[in-house]
Amino acid sequence: AQSVTQPDIHITVSEGASLELRCNYSYGATPYLFWYVQSPGQGLQLLLKYFSGDTLVQGIKGFEAEFKRSQSSFNLRKPSVHWSDAAEYFCAVGTDNYGQNFVFGPGTRLSVLP
Amino acid sequence: DGGITQSPKYLFRKEGQNVTLSCEQNLNHDAMYWYRQDPGQGLRLIYYSQIVNDFQKGDIAEGYSVSREKKESFPLTVTSAQKNPTAFYLCASSAPGRAWGQYFGPGTRLTVT
């Protein structure tokens, strides 16, 4: 069965530092991959998505992610973190099952130090 | 603007009462979903619906019920059979297939005392 893991439960970085959030997936077919961000008490917002083509995808708020098929990874990066980036980040894979189309990872909570 | 609305934002109920959470979308999406989120945890799928008048149980459907009479609406009822109903509930929708991702509403925080 398909699954998504996010090895880091909680990450703390200083404002202005670079960021990388890890995501690994298990899926037999071509993956459709997504990153979402959730601020406290809010819904999830789509940051970026990968379907095919260029393995480095750009998203909103200055985020990017790189798909590496050989490592089954889709890590999220940002060169310089802002205090407003503090939130929960979820990786997800879109499957081709009719019905339950999406599997979410457990999330990584990002804290930003001033 | 297209989007998903969930109402109310906060909901309080006494134990033993059923309560219905509203979810409406004007994105013309076929599929709709309900998730439960507990503090420090990820999303757990309660129910999903691919088309009107059809819905399927997710991973934690016990104690919940849904209906899908209109494409735009997918209300969730939390029944008195749900042992731990206090949680944050998220509604989402998506276009057909897996390519487009899911769009989420702002969520409803339900507190049962």
Side-chain angles (χ1 to χ4, degrees):
Chain A
Q2 55 273 9
S3 66
V4 178
T5 57
Q6 294 179 247
D8 304 305
I9 297 174
H10 183 205
I11 284 182
T12 300
V13 299
S14 297
E15 191 169 19
S18 63
L19 171 70
E20 183 170 29
L21 302 181
R22 296 182 291 165
C23 171
N24 294 97
Y25 67 90
S26 173
Y27 184 58
T30 301
Y32 285 25
L33 297 161
F34 308 85
W35 273 101
Y36 290 85
V37 61
Q38 183 184 31
S39 298
Q42 303 297 319
L44 276 68
Q45 181 183 21
L46 182 64
L47 281 175
L48 48 77
K49 55 191 174 186
Y50 170 78
F51 295 164
S52 63
D54 193 347
T55 56
L56 184 64
V57 294
Q58 302 297 320
I60 62 172
K61 305 185 184 210
F63 285 92
E64 66 179 26
E66 185 171 14
F67 170 59
K68 292 185 178 180
R69 185 184 297 275
S70 62
Q71 298 178 17
S72 298
S73 69
F74 188 55
N75 294 349
L76 182 71
R77 301 196 294 246
K78 187 169 185 178
S80 178
V81 170
H82 188 261
W83 64 266
S84 60
D85 293 323
E88 189 92 18
Y89 291 81
F90 294 92
C91 182
V93 60
T95 79
D96 56 6
N97 295 332
Y98 179 78
Q100 188 173 333
N101 297 104
F102 302 94
V103 177
F104 285 84
T108 296
R109 184 162 63 93
L110 174 66
S111 297
V112 180
L113 298 175
Chain B
D1 288 339
I4 301 177
T5 57
Q6 291 184 245
S7 60
K9 179 70 173 175
Y10 299 96
L11 193 52
F12 299 88
R13 282 293 183 270
K14 294 290 188 184
E15 194 173 324
Q17 294 179 336
N18 292 354
V19 58
T20 298
L21 281 60
S22 168
C23 177
E24 303 277 335
Q25 56 100 358
N26 60 3
L27 298 166
N28 200 33
H29 285 169
D30 289 307
M32 297 187 75
Y33 309 77
W34 274 105
Y35 293 92
R36 170 181 173 139
Q37 188 176 33
D38 294 284
Q41 297 193 27
L43 305 173
R44 291 188 289 171
L45 183 65
I46 305 173
Y47 268 98
Y48 60 95
S49 168
Q50 294 294 320
I51 55 173
V52 174
N53 292 323
D54 184 58
F55 47 83
Q56 303 296 328
K57 293 181 179 180
D59 301 319
I60 56 165
E62 185 176 351
Y64 299 97
S65 66
V66 294
S67 63
R68 187 85 187 277
E69 298 177 359
K70 298 186 300 182
K71 187 175 185 178
E72 302 80 17
S73 178
F74 191 40
L76 173 74
T77 297
V78 184
T79 75
S80 57
Q82 168 51 231
K83 292 184 174 60
N84 297 296
T86 295
F88 189 53
Y89 292 88
L90 287 162
C91 179
S93 71
S94 70
R98 61 187 173 121
W100 307 110
Q102 291 183 326
Y103 290 83
F104 284 81
T108 292
R109 183 165 301 281
L110 172 65
T111 302
V112 177
T113 58

